[in-house]
């Protein structure tokens, strides 16, 4: 070190803050992709619930209400895997962003709502 730089001090807290921010960013990225892959599992669960609900009405020949009037079996059964696939595609663009976690969380909420609607409205 020369005489010109003898009074210069290195601020180690800035380096530590950068490392902490980087590890936090990596942690959020892993959580985001974990939730994104969980939408695939959620789609399978929604499909199983919808299939079970339809199969529970198979022996009912004169049931007045066989399901929700606004949502048909096709939207719930085929929509869940499409939502999971779109979530994976969207996560390639949003996973590294600050609010990128909103995409898989909102899709999981839609899947839970779809499963709840099918479960609550199909005749037992």
């Amino acid at each position: 070190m020369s005489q010109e730089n003898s009074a210069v001090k290195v601020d180690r807290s800035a380096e530590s803050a950068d490392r902490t921010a980087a590890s936090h960013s990596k942690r959020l990225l892993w959580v985001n992709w974990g939730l994104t892959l969980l939408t695939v599992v959620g789609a399978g669960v929604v499909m199983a619930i919808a299939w079970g609900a339809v199969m529970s009405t198979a022996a009912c020949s004169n049931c007045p209400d066989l399901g929700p009037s606004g949502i048909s079996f096709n939207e719930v059964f085929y929509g869940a895997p499409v939502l999971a696939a779109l979530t994976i595609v969207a996560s390639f663009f949003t996973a590294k962003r600050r609010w990128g976690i909103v995409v898989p969380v909102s899709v999981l909420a839609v899947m839970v709502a779809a499963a709840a609607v099918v479960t609550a409205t199909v005749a037992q």
Side-chain angles (χ1 to χ4, degrees), residues 13-40:
S13 63
E15 292 175 9
S16 176
D18 288 343
R19 271 189 257 129
T20 304
S23 70
H24 181 68
S25 176
K26 282 185 180 182
R27 202 172 315 130
L28 282 177
L29 183 67
W30 280 101
V31 168
N32 191 328
W33 277 106
L35 289 172
T36 299
L37 294 178
L38 190 62
T39 61
V40 176

PDB file of all heavy atoms in Angstrom, residues 13-40:
ATOM      1  N   SER A  13     -19.018  -4.228   5.227  1.00  0.00           N
ATOM      2  CA  SER A  13     -20.459  -4.408   5.393  1.00  0.00           C
ATOM      3  C   SER A  13     -21.181  -4.373   4.048  1.00  0.00           C
ATOM      4  O   SER A  13     -22.201  -5.031   3.878  1.00  0.00           O
ATOM      5  CB  SER A  13     -21.033  -3.357   6.336  1.00  0.00           C
ATOM      6  OG  SER A  13     -20.867  -2.064   5.784  1.00  0.00           O
ATOM      7  N   ALA A  14     -20.676  -3.618   3.098  1.00  0.00           N
ATOM      8  CA  ALA A  14     -21.303  -3.568   1.774  1.00  0.00           C
ATOM      9  C   ALA A  14     -21.168  -4.915   1.070  1.00  0.00           C
ATOM     10  O   ALA A  14     -22.099  -5.391   0.428  1.00  0.00           O
ATOM     11  CB  ALA A  14     -20.681  -2.468   0.925  1.00  0.00           C
ATOM     12  N   GLU A  15     -20.011  -5.558   1.198  1.00  0.00           N
ATOM     13  CA  GLU A  15     -19.827  -6.881   0.598  1.00  0.00           C
ATOM     14  C   GLU A  15     -20.742  -7.898   1.266  1.00  0.00           C
ATOM     15  O   GLU A  15     -21.326  -8.758   0.599  1.00  0.00           O
ATOM     16  CB  GLU A  15     -18.374  -7.314   0.738  1.00  0.00           C
ATOM     17  CG  GLU A  15     -17.399  -6.506  -0.083  1.00  0.00           C
ATOM     18  CD  GLU A  15     -15.957  -6.894   0.198  1.00  0.00           C
ATOM     19  OE1 GLU A  15     -15.737  -7.899   0.900  1.00  0.00           O
ATOM     20  OE2 GLU A  15     -15.054  -6.200  -0.280  1.00  0.00           O
ATOM     21  N   SER A  16     -20.871  -7.807   2.563  1.00  0.00           N
ATOM     22  CA  SER A  16     -21.742  -8.721   3.292  1.00  0.00           C
ATOM     23  C   SER A  16     -23.202  -8.526   2.882  1.00  0.00           C
ATOM     24  O   SER A  16     -23.951  -9.491   2.735  1.00  0.00           O
ATOM     25  CB  SER A  16     -21.581  -8.500   4.791  1.00  0.00           C
ATOM     26  OG  SER A  16     -22.480  -9.299   5.495  1.00  0.00           O
ATOM     27  N   ALA A  17     -23.601  -7.276   2.698  1.00  0.00           N
ATOM     28  CA  ALA A  17     -24.980  -6.995   2.271  1.00  0.00           C
ATOM     29  C   ALA A  17     -25.234  -7.542   0.872  1.00  0.00           C
ATOM     30  O   ALA A  17     -26.319  -8.065   0.591  1.00  0.00           O
ATOM     31  CB  ALA A  17     -25.250  -5.500   2.308  1.00  0.00           C
ATOM     32  N   ASP A  18     -24.242  -7.435  -0.003  1.00  0.00           N
ATOM     33  CA  ASP A  18     -24.394  -7.973  -1.358  1.00  0.00           C
ATOM     34  C   ASP A  18     -24.552  -9.491  -1.327  1.00  0.00           C
ATOM     35  O   ASP A  18     -25.378 -10.052  -2.042  1.00  0.00           O
ATOM     36  CB  ASP A  18     -23.202  -7.598  -2.229  1.00  0.00           C
ATOM     37  CG  ASP A  18     -23.194  -6.128  -2.600  1.00  0.00           C
ATOM     38  OD1 ASP A  18     -24.262  -5.484  -2.465  1.00  0.00           O
ATOM     39  OD2 ASP A  18     -22.125  -5.629  -3.014  1.00  0.00           O
ATOM     40  N   ARG A  19     -23.741 -10.153  -0.476  1.00  0.00           N
ATOM     41  CA  ARG A  19     -23.854 -11.610  -0.366  1.00  0.00           C
ATOM     42  C   ARG A  19     -25.197 -12.023   0.219  1.00  0.00           C
ATOM     43  O   ARG A  19     -25.801 -12.997  -0.214  1.00  0.00           O
ATOM     44  CB  ARG A  19     -22.708 -12.160   0.491  1.00  0.00           C
ATOM     45  CG  ARG A  19     -21.497 -12.477  -0.339  1.00  0.00           C
ATOM     46  CD  ARG A  19     -20.462 -13.208   0.475  1.00  0.00           C
ATOM     47  NE  ARG A  19     -19.445 -12.196   0.800  1.00  0.00           N
ATOM     48  CZ  ARG A  19     -18.973 -11.951   2.007  1.00  0.00           C
ATOM     49  NH1 ARG A  19     -19.374 -12.656   3.023  1.00  0.00           N
ATOM     50  NH2 ARG A  19     -18.080 -11.013   2.198  1.00  0.00           N
ATOM     51  N   THR A  20     -25.687 -11.282   1.202  1.00  0.00           N
ATOM     52  CA  THR A  20     -26.981 -11.583   1.808  1.00  0.00           C
ATOM     53  C   THR A  20     -28.101 -11.403   0.793  1.00  0.00           C
ATOM     54  O   THR A  20     -29.012 -12.222   0.709  1.00  0.00           O
ATOM     55  CB  THR A  20     -27.225 -10.682   3.030  1.00  0.00           C
ATOM     56  OG1 THR A  20     -26.150 -10.848   3.942  1.00  0.00           O
ATOM     57  CG2 THR A  20     -28.521 -11.019   3.702  1.00  0.00           C
ATOM     58  N   ALA A  21     -28.044 -10.331   0.018  1.00  0.00           N
ATOM     59  CA  ALA A  21     -29.061 -10.094  -1.007  1.00  0.00           C
ATOM     60  C   ALA A  21     -29.028 -11.180  -2.075  1.00  0.00           C
ATOM     61  O   ALA A  21     -30.073 -11.625  -2.557  1.00  0.00           O
ATOM     62  CB  ALA A  21     -28.863  -8.725  -1.645  1.00  0.00           C
ATOM     63  N   ALA A  22     -27.837 -11.625  -2.437  1.00  0.00           N
ATOM     64  CA  ALA A  22     -27.722 -12.675  -3.453  1.00  0.00           C
ATOM     65  C   ALA A  22     -28.289 -13.993  -2.936  1.00  0.00           C
ATOM     66  O   ALA A  22     -28.980 -14.706  -3.667  1.00  0.00           O
ATOM     67  CB  ALA A  22     -26.274 -12.850  -3.875  1.00  0.00           C
ATOM     68  N   SER A  23     -28.020 -14.325  -1.674  1.00  0.00           N
ATOM     69  CA  SER A  23     -28.547 -15.581  -1.137  1.00  0.00           C
ATOM     70  C   SER A  23     -30.063 -15.498  -0.973  1.00  0.00           C
ATOM     71  O   SER A  23     -30.765 -16.486  -1.179  1.00  0.00           O
ATOM     72  CB  SER A  23     -27.878 -15.929   0.188  1.00  0.00           C
ATOM     73  OG  SER A  23     -28.291 -15.033   1.199  1.00  0.00           O
ATOM     74  N   HIS A  24     -30.575 -14.316  -0.617  1.00  0.00           N
ATOM     75  CA  HIS A  24     -32.024 -14.132  -0.515  1.00  0.00           C
ATOM     76  C   HIS A  24     -32.674 -14.277  -1.890  1.00  0.00           C
ATOM     77  O   HIS A  24     -33.732 -14.891  -2.028  1.00  0.00           O
ATOM     78  CB  HIS A  24     -32.330 -12.758   0.086  1.00  0.00           C
ATOM     79  CG  HIS A  24     -33.784 -12.483   0.256  1.00  0.00           C
ATOM     80  ND1 HIS A  24     -34.557 -13.162   1.164  1.00  0.00           N
ATOM     81  CD2 HIS A  24     -34.617 -11.626  -0.389  1.00  0.00           C
ATOM     82  CE1 HIS A  24     -35.797 -12.725   1.088  1.00  0.00           C
ATOM     83  NE2 HIS A  24     -35.857 -11.789   0.146  1.00  0.00           N
ATOM     84  N   SER A  25     -32.043 -13.736  -2.902  1.00  0.00           N
ATOM     85  CA  SER A  25     -32.559 -13.842  -4.263  1.00  0.00           C
ATOM     86  C   SER A  25     -32.574 -15.296  -4.734  1.00  0.00           C
ATOM     87  O   SER A  25     -33.539 -15.740  -5.361  1.00  0.00           O
ATOM     88  CB  SER A  25     -31.708 -12.993  -5.198  1.00  0.00           C
ATOM     89  OG  SER A  25     -32.123 -13.151  -6.517  1.00  0.00           O
ATOM     90  N   LYS A  26     -31.504 -16.037  -4.414  1.00  0.00           N
ATOM     91  CA  LYS A  26     -31.473 -17.458  -4.796  1.00  0.00           C
ATOM     92  C   LYS A  26     -32.544 -18.243  -4.056  1.00  0.00           C
ATOM     93  O   LYS A  26     -33.174 -19.139  -4.617  1.00  0.00           O
ATOM     94  CB  LYS A  26     -30.104 -18.050  -4.494  1.00  0.00           C
ATOM     95  CG  LYS A  26     -29.063 -17.694  -5.506  1.00  0.00           C
ATOM     96  CD  LYS A  26     -27.770 -18.420  -5.219  1.00  0.00           C
ATOM     97  CE  LYS A  26     -26.720 -18.061  -6.250  1.00  0.00           C
ATOM     98  NZ  LYS A  26     -25.466 -18.773  -6.022  1.00  0.00           N
ATOM     99  N   ARG A  27     -32.755 -17.904  -2.781  1.00  0.00           N
ATOM    100  CA  ARG A  27     -33.773 -18.598  -1.998  1.00  0.00           C
ATOM    101  C   ARG A  27     -35.157 -18.348  -2.598  1.00  0.00           C
ATOM    102  O   ARG A  27     -35.958 -19.279  -2.725  1.00  0.00           O
ATOM    103  CB  ARG A  27     -33.716 -18.112  -0.549  1.00  0.00           C
ATOM    104  CG  ARG A  27     -34.308 -19.069   0.423  1.00  0.00           C
ATOM    105  CD  ARG A  27     -34.078 -18.662   1.872  1.00  0.00           C
ATOM    106  NE  ARG A  27     -32.712 -18.243   2.118  1.00  0.00           N
ATOM    107  CZ  ARG A  27     -32.370 -17.109   2.726  1.00  0.00           C
ATOM    108  NH1 ARG A  27     -33.297 -16.277   3.142  1.00  0.00           N
ATOM    109  NH2 ARG A  27     -31.113 -16.804   2.927  1.00  0.00           N
ATOM    110  N   LEU A  28     -35.449 -17.098  -2.974  1.00  0.00           N
ATOM    111  CA  LEU A  28     -36.736 -16.796  -3.597  1.00  0.00           C
ATOM    112  C   LEU A  28     -36.895 -17.498  -4.940  1.00  0.00           C
ATOM    113  O   LEU A  28     -37.989 -17.929  -5.299  1.00  0.00           O
ATOM    114  CB  LEU A  28     -36.897 -15.288  -3.779  1.00  0.00           C
ATOM    115  CG  LEU A  28     -37.273 -14.506  -2.538  1.00  0.00           C
ATOM    116  CD1 LEU A  28     -37.338 -13.016  -2.849  1.00  0.00           C
ATOM    117  CD2 LEU A  28     -38.587 -14.979  -1.974  1.00  0.00           C
ATOM    118  N   LEU A  29     -35.807 -17.624  -5.680  1.00  0.00           N
ATOM    119  CA  LEU A  29     -35.855 -18.334  -6.958  1.00  0.00           C
ATOM    120  C   LEU A  29     -36.214 -19.802  -6.741  1.00  0.00           C
ATOM    121  O   LEU A  29     -37.057 -20.350  -7.451  1.00  0.00           O
ATOM    122  CB  LEU A  29     -34.512 -18.207  -7.676  1.00  0.00           C
ATOM    123  CG  LEU A  29     -34.419 -18.834  -9.056  1.00  0.00           C
ATOM    124  CD1 LEU A  29     -35.313 -18.099 -10.037  1.00  0.00           C
ATOM    125  CD2 LEU A  29     -32.983 -18.825  -9.534  1.00  0.00           C
ATOM    126  N   TRP A  30     -35.601 -20.433  -5.749  1.00  0.00           N
ATOM    127  CA  TRP A  30     -35.913 -21.826  -5.445  1.00  0.00           C
ATOM    128  C   TRP A  30     -37.350 -21.991  -4.963  1.00  0.00           C
ATOM    129  O   TRP A  30     -38.036 -22.954  -5.334  1.00  0.00           O
ATOM    130  CB  TRP A  30     -34.947 -22.391  -4.404  1.00  0.00           C
ATOM    131  CG  TRP A  30     -33.644 -22.797  -4.998  1.00  0.00           C
ATOM    132  CD1 TRP A  30     -32.474 -22.098  -4.972  1.00  0.00           C
ATOM    133  CD2 TRP A  30     -33.376 -23.997  -5.731  1.00  0.00           C
ATOM    134  NE1 TRP A  30     -31.501 -22.784  -5.641  1.00  0.00           N
ATOM    135  CE2 TRP A  30     -32.023 -23.964  -6.119  1.00  0.00           C
ATOM    136  CE3 TRP A  30     -34.144 -25.085  -6.103  1.00  0.00           C
ATOM    137  CZ2 TRP A  30     -31.431 -24.980  -6.845  1.00  0.00           C
ATOM    138  CZ3 TRP A  30     -33.551 -26.101  -6.826  1.00  0.00           C
ATOM    139  CH2 TRP A  30     -32.216 -26.037  -7.194  1.00  0.00           C
ATOM    140  N   VAL A  31     -37.820 -21.072  -4.136  1.00  0.00           N
ATOM    141  CA  VAL A  31     -39.208 -21.135  -3.663  1.00  0.00           C
ATOM    142  C   VAL A  31     -40.168 -20.965  -4.844  1.00  0.00           C
ATOM    143  O   VAL A  31     -41.158 -21.690  -4.953  1.00  0.00           O
ATOM    144  CB  VAL A  31     -39.458 -20.064  -2.581  1.00  0.00           C
ATOM    145  CG1 VAL A  31     -40.939 -19.906  -2.293  1.00  0.00           C
ATOM    146  CG2 VAL A  31     -38.700 -20.410  -1.316  1.00  0.00           C
ATOM    147  N   ASN A  32     -39.858 -20.029  -5.721  1.00  0.00           N
ATOM    148  CA  ASN A  32     -40.697 -19.793  -6.887  1.00  0.00           C
ATOM    149  C   ASN A  32     -40.793 -21.047  -7.747  1.00  0.00           C
ATOM    150  O   ASN A  32     -41.885 -21.460  -8.145  1.00  0.00           O
ATOM    151  CB  ASN A  32     -40.146 -18.623  -7.697  1.00  0.00           C
ATOM    152  CG  ASN A  32     -41.102 -18.158  -8.761  1.00  0.00           C
ATOM    153  OD1 ASN A  32     -41.859 -18.926  -9.311  1.00  0.00           O
ATOM    154  ND2 ASN A  32     -41.042 -16.885  -9.061  1.00  0.00           N
ATOM    155  N   TRP A  33     -39.657 -21.659  -8.043  1.00  0.00           N
ATOM    156  CA  TRP A  33     -39.695 -22.857  -8.888  1.00  0.00           C
ATOM    157  C   TRP A  33     -40.312 -24.043  -8.153  1.00  0.00           C
ATOM    158  O   TRP A  33     -40.964 -24.891  -8.772  1.00  0.00           O
ATOM    159  CB  TRP A  33     -38.305 -23.197  -9.411  1.00  0.00           C
ATOM    160  CG  TRP A  33     -38.000 -22.378 -10.614  1.00  0.00           C
ATOM    161  CD1 TRP A  33     -37.159 -21.317 -10.699  1.00  0.00           C
ATOM    162  CD2 TRP A  33     -38.581 -22.524 -11.911  1.00  0.00           C
ATOM    163  NE1 TRP A  33     -37.172 -20.790 -11.961  1.00  0.00           N
ATOM    164  CE2 TRP A  33     -38.036 -21.508 -12.733  1.00  0.00           C
ATOM    165  CE3 TRP A  33     -39.505 -23.385 -12.455  1.00  0.00           C
ATOM    166  CZ2 TRP A  33     -38.391 -21.363 -14.064  1.00  0.00           C
ATOM    167  CZ3 TRP A  33     -39.855 -23.235 -13.795  1.00  0.00           C
ATOM    168  CH2 TRP A  33     -39.299 -22.238 -14.575  1.00  0.00           C
ATOM    169  N   GLY A  34     -40.151 -24.109  -6.849  1.00  0.00           N
ATOM    170  CA  GLY A  34     -40.826 -25.159  -6.083  1.00  0.00           C
ATOM    171  C   GLY A  34     -42.334 -25.023  -6.166  1.00  0.00           C
ATOM    172  O   GLY A  34     -43.052 -26.006  -6.372  1.00  0.00           O
ATOM    173  N   LEU A  35     -42.827 -23.794  -6.015  1.00  0.00           N
ATOM    174  CA  LEU A  35     -44.267 -23.563  -6.137  1.00  0.00           C
ATOM    175  C   LEU A  35     -44.754 -23.794  -7.566  1.00  0.00           C
ATOM    176  O   LEU A  35     -45.865 -24.289  -7.781  1.00  0.00           O
ATOM    177  CB  LEU A  35     -44.612 -22.147  -5.685  1.00  0.00           C
ATOM    178  CG  LEU A  35     -44.511 -21.883  -4.186  1.00  0.00           C
ATOM    179  CD1 LEU A  35     -44.674 -20.400  -3.899  1.00  0.00           C
ATOM    180  CD2 LEU A  35     -45.532 -22.695  -3.432  1.00  0.00           C
ATOM    181  N   THR A  36     -43.922 -23.453  -8.533  1.00  0.00           N
ATOM    182  CA  THR A  36     -44.291 -23.678  -9.928  1.00  0.00           C
ATOM    183  C   THR A  36     -44.448 -25.175 -10.205  1.00  0.00           C
ATOM    184  O   THR A  36     -45.412 -25.597 -10.846  1.00  0.00           O
ATOM    185  CB  THR A  36     -43.244 -23.067 -10.865  1.00  0.00           C
ATOM    186  OG1 THR A  36     -43.186 -21.660 -10.626  1.00  0.00           O
ATOM    187  CG2 THR A  36     -43.581 -23.317 -12.313  1.00  0.00           C
ATOM    188  N   LEU A  37     -43.525 -25.969  -9.725  1.00  0.00           N
ATOM    189  CA  LEU A  37     -43.640 -27.416  -9.919  1.00  0.00           C
ATOM    190  C   LEU A  37     -44.769 -28.002  -9.084  1.00  0.00           C
ATOM    191  O   LEU A  37     -45.349 -29.039  -9.443  1.00  0.00           O
ATOM    192  CB  LEU A  37     -42.314 -28.092  -9.602  1.00  0.00           C
ATOM    193  CG  LEU A  37     -41.176 -27.734 -10.569  1.00  0.00           C
ATOM    194  CD1 LEU A  37     -39.879 -28.407 -10.139  1.00  0.00           C
ATOM    195  CD2 LEU A  37     -41.526 -28.111 -11.999  1.00  0.00           C
ATOM    196  N   LEU A  38     -45.109 -27.341  -7.984  1.00  0.00           N
ATOM    197  CA  LEU A  38     -46.238 -27.785  -7.177  1.00  0.00           C
ATOM    198  C   LEU A  38     -47.561 -27.612  -7.925  1.00  0.00           C
ATOM    199  O   LEU A  38     -48.524 -28.327  -7.649  1.00  0.00           O
ATOM    200  CB  LEU A  38     -46.260 -27.028  -5.853  1.00  0.00           C
ATOM    201  CG  LEU A  38     -47.216 -27.514  -4.785  1.00  0.00           C
ATOM    202  CD1 LEU A  38     -46.854 -28.946  -4.381  1.00  0.00           C
ATOM    203  CD2 LEU A  38     -47.158 -26.607  -3.581  1.00  0.00           C
ATOM    204  N   THR A  39     -47.594 -26.686  -8.883  1.00  0.00           N
ATOM    205  CA  THR A  39     -48.818 -26.537  -9.674  1.00  0.00           C
ATOM    206  C   THR A  39     -49.084 -27.776 -10.530  1.00  0.00           C
ATOM    207  O   THR A  39     -50.240 -28.084 -10.813  1.00  0.00           O
ATOM    208  CB  THR A  39     -48.764 -25.292 -10.586  1.00  0.00           C
ATOM    209  OG1 THR A  39     -47.684 -25.406 -11.503  1.00  0.00           O
ATOM    210  CG2 THR A  39     -48.651 -24.020  -9.782  1.00  0.00           C
ATOM    211  N   VAL A  40     -48.042 -28.487 -10.915  1.00  0.00           N
ATOM    212  CA  VAL A  40     -48.232 -29.737 -11.666  1.00  0.00           C
ATOM    213  C   VAL A  40     -48.890 -30.779 -10.769  1.00  0.00           C
ATOM    214  O   VAL A  40     -49.828 -31.470 -11.175  1.00  0.00           O
ATOM    215  CB  VAL A  40     -46.882 -30.253 -12.216  1.00  0.00           C
ATOM    216  CG1 VAL A  40     -47.052 -31.589 -12.895  1.00  0.00           C
ATOM    217  CG2 VAL A  40     -46.270 -29.231 -13.168  1.00  0.00           C
TER     218      VAL A  40
END
